[in-house]
Amino acid sequence: MKNISFVDSGEYRCRSSNEHGEKLSEALTLNVLYPPKSVSVSISPSGVILEGSSVTLTCSSDGNPPVEYNWIKGTSSVGKGKTYTKKKISSVDSGEYKCRSSNEHGEKLSEALTLNVLYLQVEVPERVIEGDEVTLTCKTSFSLSDRPTFTWYRNGHPLSSNTDQLHLQPVSREDAGSYDCAVWSKNLYSPEVTLNVRYLQVEVPERVIEGDEVTLTCKTSFSLSDRPTFTWYRNGHPLSSSTDQLHLQLVSREDADRYRCAVLGLRSPEVTLNVRYGPKSVSVSISPSGEIVEGRSVTLTCSSDANPPVEYNWIKGTSSVGKGETYTMMEISSVDSGEYKCRSSNEHGEKLSEALTLNVLYPPKSVSVSISPSGETAEGSSVNLTCSSDANPPVQNYTWFKEGGSSPVGSGHSYRAPQRGSYYCEAQNEHGSQKSAAVTVKGVWNSALYAVIGVTAGCGCLSIIIAVFCVRRKRRGSSADDKNQTQNVDPNAKDDTNTALDPVSRTSDDVYNTLATVHSSPSDDLYSALDPQSRSPEYGTLATVRNKH
């Protein structure tokens, strides 16, 4: 056999024969050795290869003696053996695979098998700094014919986004973690990727009280290989400190601002320094402003600067009258006038506002009339009437009236009553008026007048008695007969003179007749004083009052 080949391999026998018979020899095996031939690769399972699935490549070849297999991806050897299995295949496994079949007589490469892994991949920015606006993208290695619903996961927990992008705006250190995406309708899952967030953080003390010494620290989430220069900002304006600490000596409420730091192109988010302090600038305002008239509603409002927030207490004079930022008086009255203060207090102290004087305007009240001199007055004496009242502003006009009349009889705070009668006053200011109760002016005779009358009456009576005595004596002396006749009279009988002088023996008619005879003239002064018909009307009033007393 010339140019023997592997097809010539096999068992050979020799048959010997003649006319007398034939015989076969024992079999001789011809084993033709040859290098690998017909090297090929197959894949299982066939069809679409999805990321995350398991794939097995199998190499087959013809060679004698038996061959060894080596797997090559691109130019790199990736495995040995008749089969090559990839569990949870990923996009990085895509590429051309070949199998090298070799024995001692030679080797041969299979044709390339292209492995196209369909995959989802989460793409993240290479450098993420806290405060940046970051977008994660769920990228596919193939075109999607429809618009599938995406599902996002962070640390295994589903997120709300259902598109191929996840927006973190702005990103914070809490967003750091493992992310993956999935398209359930395609049974596709991306591998997890880690999002690392670099950040700077300004650390401030938890509790800062005005007057403390405070240090702010700029803290990084990564190691610094050298000693970089830090920059500090307050409300966006750079400060002089260049280290990782900012020292505030004797901090005050004016230091309660926004702070941030920066280093190596990184900026921290702003933090607010919360300085606690007691109440300051406590003040009280009133609404409505302007004049306050009785009956209206008035609201006092207290304001102050403090941290933490304050409690408010309202004080009138020395008494507490209310709590809260506002104090409202409905239908305010004159008793509400006075000085009001607001006490503002928190755990760090308290402070009183300046006093606000509440001046309530109101019309006259409690209008009354007083008489001077008090009690009864003699006829002809002067009587002063005084009107008093409570009003704000003070009464502008006092008007006097006599009961029974419709027209004023006088004006002013005081009034001199010219005659007896009942009088009242009306007090008026710009907010209204009120009338007093009426008072009565009465007249009586005084003690001097009584004395004059008594003396006059006594003298008159004595004159009558003397006149009667003289008349009787004259009669007795002019006629002796009369005297004798008188002497012969019964001794038990009294003479006319004694009878006249004896009030017991005289009747009231005798006395009256005697007086009437002597004082028959109506022009006599004493008679006029005693005659009720000739007295003045004023005397009648005074006499009546006197008799009542």
Side-chain angles (χ1 to χ4, degrees), residues 49-67:
I49 302 171
L50 298 178
E51 189 172 44
S53 61
S54 179
V55 174
T56 297
L57 304 181
T58 302
C59 188
S60 61
S61 71
D62 181 19
N64 192 21
V67 297

Side-chain angles (χ1 to χ4, degrees), residues 95-116:
E96 290 188 344
Y97 288 80
K98 294 179 180 181
C99 168
R100 178 189 291 119
S101 178
S102 61
N103 61 13
E104 58 191 71
H105 299 289
E107 63 179 32
K108 190 173 183 180
L109 284 173
S110 67
E111 293 292 327
L113 182 145
T114 300
L115 195 59
N116 186 22

Side-chain angles (χ1 to χ4, degrees), residues 212-260:
D212 289 350
E213 293 184 0
V214 175
T215 298
L216 309 186
T217 302
C218 189
K219 185 178 179 181
T220 66
S221 63
F222 51 94
S223 298
L224 298 174
S225 57
D226 52 4
R227 297 178 63 86
T229 299
F230 288 80
T231 304
W232 285 91
Y233 297 88
R234 176 177 174 178
N235 294 333
H237 302 291
L239 302 176
S240 59
S241 179
S242 60
T243 67
D244 62 342
Q245 289 187 325
L246 177 64
H247 301 284
L248 302 174
Q249 305 293 336
L250 299 177
V251 69
S252 70
R253 69 183 186 277
E254 285 76 17
D255 294 315
D257 287 322
R258 295 173 286 110
Y259 293 85
R260 75 189 311 169

Side-chain angles (χ1 to χ4, degrees), residues 69-255:
Y69 297 100
N70 284 272
W71 295 92
I72 300 168
K73 179 188 177 187
T75 59
S76 301
S77 176
V78 292
K80 292 182 177 183
K82 184 175 180 65
T83 60
Y84 175 62
T85 300
K86 289 290 293 184
K87 294 182 178 180
K88 292 185 179 179
I89 196 168
S90 68
S91 58
V92 296
D93 297 318
S94 294
E96 290 188 344
Y97 288 80
K98 294 179 180 181
C99 168
R100 178 189 291 119
S101 178
S102 61
N103 61 13
E104 58 191 71
H105 299 289
E107 63 179 32
K108 190 173 183 180
L109 284 173
S110 67
E111 293 292 327
L113 182 145
T114 300
L115 195 59
N116 186 22
V117 180
L118 304 182
Y119 64 88
L120 294 182
Q121 178 180 350
V122 176
E123 291 186 340
V124 298
E126 183 177 352
R127 184 181 181 187
V128 177
I129 301 172
E130 187 173 42
D132 289 349
E133 294 185 357
V134 174
T135 299
L136 308 186
T137 302
C138 189
K139 186 177 180 181
T140 64
S141 62
F142 56 94
S143 298
L144 296 173
S145 57
D146 53 1
R147 296 177 63 85
T149 298
F150 290 79
T151 304
W152 285 90
Y153 299 89
R154 180 173 67 198
N155 298 328
H157 301 290
L159 303 176
S160 59
S161 180
N162 58 8
T163 68
D164 63 340
Q165 289 187 323
L166 176 64
H167 300 284
L168 304 175
Q169 299 177 348
V171 70
S172 70
R173 69 200 66 180
E174 287 76 18
D175 294 319
S178 298
Y179 289 82
D180 61 287
C181 62
V183 179
W184 286 97
S185 61
K186 302 295 184 180
N187 201 29
L188 294 174
Y189 308 91
S190 75
E192 287 185 340
V193 296
T194 301
L195 177 65
N196 292 314
V197 180
R198 288 187 165 193
Y199 64 86
L200 294 181
Q201 176 183 353
V202 176
E203 291 186 340
V204 299
E206 184 176 353
R207 186 181 177 90
V208 177
I209 301 174
E210 191 171 39
D212 289 350
E213 293 184 0
V214 175
T215 298
L216 309 186
T217 302
C218 189
K219 185 178 179 181
T220 66
S221 63
F222 51 94
S223 298
L224 298 174
S225 57
D226 52 4
R227 297 178 63 86
T229 299
F230 288 80
T231 304
W232 285 91
Y233 297 88
R234 176 177 174 178
N235 294 333
H237 302 291
L239 302 176
S240 59
S241 179
S242 60
T243 67
D244 62 342
Q245 289 187 325
L246 177 64
H247 301 284
L248 302 174
Q249 305 293 336
L250 299 177
V251 69
S252 70
R253 69 183 186 277
E254 285 76 17
D255 294 315

Side-chain angles (χ1 to χ4, degrees), residues 210 253 277-283 303-306 310 344 351:
E210 191 171 39
R253 69 183 186 277
Y277 53 94
K280 302 177 185 293
S281 306
V282 183
S283 62
S303 61
S304 68
D305 176 23
V310 298
S344 174
K351 189 173 183 180

